[in-house]
Amino acid sequence: MYADRILKHVESAYPQQVEFRQAVAEILHALTPLLKKEPKYEKNAILERLVEPNRQVFFKIVWADDKGKVQVNRGWRIQFNNALGPYKGGLRFHPSVNASIVKFLGFEQIFKNALTTLNMGGAKGGSDFDPKGKSDAEVMRFCQAYMDELYRHIGALKDVPAGDIGVGAREIGYLFGRYKKLVDSFEGVFTGKNLDWGGSLVRKEATGYGAVYFAQEMLEARKEGLEGKICTVSGSGNVAIYTIEKLWQVGAIPVTISDSGGCVYDKEGINLELLKEIKEVRGGRIEDYAKNKKSAVYTSVKDYKEGTNAVWSVPCFAAFPCATQNELSVLDAKILLQNGCKCVAEGANMPSSPGAMQAFLKAKICYGPSKAANAGGVAVSGLEMAQNASLHPWSFEMVDQKLRTIMRDIFANSSQTAAEFKDPTNLVLGANIAGFRRVAQAMIDQGY
Ligand code: GLU
């Protein structure tokens, strides 16, 4: 069978790229019924072409720390596919970043961006640099050195990076500033910029808000809602913070946050102001949250039960994994389901392990896979590109309304596609097929 053959090829060509193989396996499995029905994809070698990136850049970044010591990091930009528009996708700065992680993220981005219905190809980049604990001046020197290599590969109509883990407004500012200097042009080459110099309202909030909008869509289709419901959220970065903000706005009660050190359960609900103060102003850790809030209980990762993440042991109606890939194990999924969880909407990229994903699908709960549920971030990036191109900023209400409509349409498209293939609750199937069809048709239209 076509999908099996391609999967075998990827497994033998990239045995070490575990995350990339996981992302490819998920998609190929979901595409099986479509590939059986439509021979045009095999005839045009679409899968063979999709699993190899159009271009990969792997480079060295040399910079000096505050003590004058020379430091060396590794950097990547993987331009996967540009059938639908300029390459588009974030940069991740985290010590765990490697070729497999950048590649899985870039591969996912192709289909996620396609689902938004906007004109964006798929790409991803990053570095094993850790901004944590570095001074602003160190981060600036690193970003400048990173851009000294990257600038020749990007451009407003060529490849438009943005943030991801470890890359926020500060890093984007330094990267954008260096790009501008090197090419002598003020252009929309980044998204997630600050508002005064070309950023879009709602971009900061978009991934988290979008994940909640997506959960609302899934629930509404079953005549349910989030109002008054206990929700668990993992992570404490940008995606988690704005998931929590939107959950409060729609009347839900978000009760958890986490970071690499541990997790916080606050039975009164997470105090958003305190969380923002600790994370956005002080750049602190969530342990500080627990120290400042009586009702909060902190559990260190050292005390997690083996193979589990304590966030998912808190009984909830809906769960929002907003930390990182494979943060939710099959054991976590079983615990969530046993405790009556009815909805999982993924704010992070590929947070559920393959076993956890299968458990959610089998239980037929509302399960929104990341490439659908977290597409709100890149969707508003697409809107930022439109605003930059027209030199005309839009209001908060207008962008938020468009985001809401895009998330509604992604849900409708994914669930209609799932129904077409006789598996109506399976949004993994629906989202993958819907995203793939759009990209594959563009590739066929444009020839090889
Ligand atoms: N890093 C985000 C994602 O995973 C956003 C990418 C972007 O805005 O280009 O979708």
Side-chain angles (χ1 to χ4, degrees), residues 79 82 85-88 119 121 153-161 179 187-190 385 389:
Q79 299 172 331
N82 63 350
Y87 298 110
K88 182 83 196 87
N119 286 109
H153 306 291
I154 61 175
L157 294 176
K158 190 172 172 183
D159 181 356
V160 183
Y179 178 85
E187 52 180 282
V189 69
F190 262 87
M385 288 162 74

Side-chain angles (χ1 to χ4, degrees), residues 10-27:
V10 170
E11 280 169 353
S12 67
Y14 305 109
Q16 258 108 48
Q17 299 187 344
V18 182
E19 294 83 3
F20 176 57
R21 289 197 282 117
Q22 182 183 336
V24 172
E26 177 204 309
I27 294 192

Side-chain angles (χ1 to χ4, degrees), residues 88-90 109 112 124 160 162-164 191 203 349 374 377-378 381:
K88 182 83 196 87
Q109 203 80 45
K112 181 193 321 197
K124 203 84 186 193
V160 183
D164 196 84
T191 60
R203 177 61 191 89
N349 287 312
N374 81 20
V378 77
S381 278

Side-chain angles (χ1 to χ4, degrees), residues 299-317:
T299 310
S300 157
V301 282
K302 291 198 298 283
D303 301 319
Y304 286 8
K305 260 211 320 248
E306 205 185 319
T308 70
N309 178 341
V311 171
W312 311 126
S313 68
V314 175
C316 65
F317 173 79

Side-chain angles (χ1 to χ4, degrees), residues 390-406:
S390 65
L391 299 173
H392 183 71
W394 301 343
S395 70
F396 190 97
E397 291 67 32
M398 181 163 160
V399 182
D400 191 34
Q401 197 49 51
K402 284 185 187 290
L403 169 63
R404 200 178 274 252
T405 307
I406 289 171

Side-chain angles (χ1 to χ4, degrees), residues 3-262:
D4 289 338
R5 186 155 53 77
I6 302 304
L7 188 58
K8 280 215 181 78
H9 156 72
V10 170
E11 280 169 353
S12 67
Y14 305 109
Q16 258 108 48
Q17 299 187 344
V18 182
E19 294 83 3
F20 176 57
R21 289 197 282 117
Q22 182 183 336
V24 172
E26 177 204 309
I27 294 192
L28 292 186
H29 181 70
L31 293 179
T32 303
L34 174 73
L35 299 172
K36 268 192 198 144
K37 217 171 98 182
E38 304 234 25
K40 66 178 175 183
Y41 301 116
E42 184 165 3
K43 202 173 134 238
N44 286 282
I46 294 298
L47 295 182
E48 291 87 329
R49 290 159 63 190
L50 269 172
V51 296
E52 294 297 338
N54 290 0
R55 183 180 296 119
Q56 312 185 55
V57 204
F58 177 28
F59 49 98
K60 173 177 75 174
I61 304 124
V62 184
W63 58 284
D65 65 21
D66 286 345
K67 294 192 185 89
K69 190 166 181 293
V70 177
Q71 301 282 350
V72 180
N73 284 97
R74 304 189 296 163
W76 288 264
R77 183 70 180 168
I78 303 195
Q79 299 172 331
F80 238 108
N81 186 287
N82 63 350
L84 292 175
Y87 298 110
K88 182 83 196 87
L91 298 175
R92 176 178 292 191
F93 291 170
H94 191 270
S96 65
V97 167
N98 58 35
S100 172
I101 288 184
V102 182
K103 228 168 137 186
F104 112 69
L105 290 163
F107 188 66
E108 290 282 288
Q109 203 80 45
I110 307 172
F111 308 98
K112 181 193 321 197
N113 295 4
L115 282 170
T116 66
T117 70
L118 303 173
N119 286 109
M120 297 182 288
K124 203 84 186 193
S127 171
D128 57 3
F129 172 76
D130 189 359
K132 219 182 288 156
K134 304 285 190 305
S135 70
D136 284 352
E138 287 176 323
V139 170
M140 184 179 79
R141 285 196 296 276
F142 171 79
C143 288
Q144 291 174 339
Y146 189 91
M147 189 50 75
D148 284 344
E149 174 59 35
L150 189 68
Y151 83 95
R152 65 192 98 231
H153 306 291
I154 61 175
L157 294 176
K158 190 172 172 183
D159 181 356
V160 183
D164 196 84
I165 295 172
V167 179
R170 174 182 63 170
E171 288 74 17
I172 289 171
Y174 296 145
L175 290 160
F176 180 80
R178 186 63 154 209
Y179 178 85
K180 190 170 57 93
K181 218 176 235 173
L182 289 166
V183 304
D184 199 18
S185 164
F186 192 107
E187 52 180 282
V189 69
F190 262 87
T191 60
K193 301 183 291 299
N194 267 344
L195 295 175
D196 280 335
W197 39 274
S200 173
L201 286 161
V202 198
R203 177 61 191 89
K204 189 170 66 172
E205 295 85 352
T207 313
Y209 280 20
V212 177
Y213 293 152
F214 196 84
Q216 286 181 304
E217 291 299 320
M218 291 194 290
L219 289 164
E220 216 169 272
R222 299 188 188 190
K223 311 249 169 310
E224 298 227 51
L226 286 167
E227 212 178 314
K229 303 283 174 41
I230 301 290
C231 298
T232 49
V233 178
S234 64
S236 50
N238 178 263
V239 180
I241 292 172
Y242 292 95
T243 296
I244 289 171
E245 180 165 289
K246 185 52 74 179
L247 284 172
W248 280 120
Q249 284 176 13
V250 302
I253 308 154
V255 294
T256 59
I257 41 173
S258 68
D259 62 20
S260 56

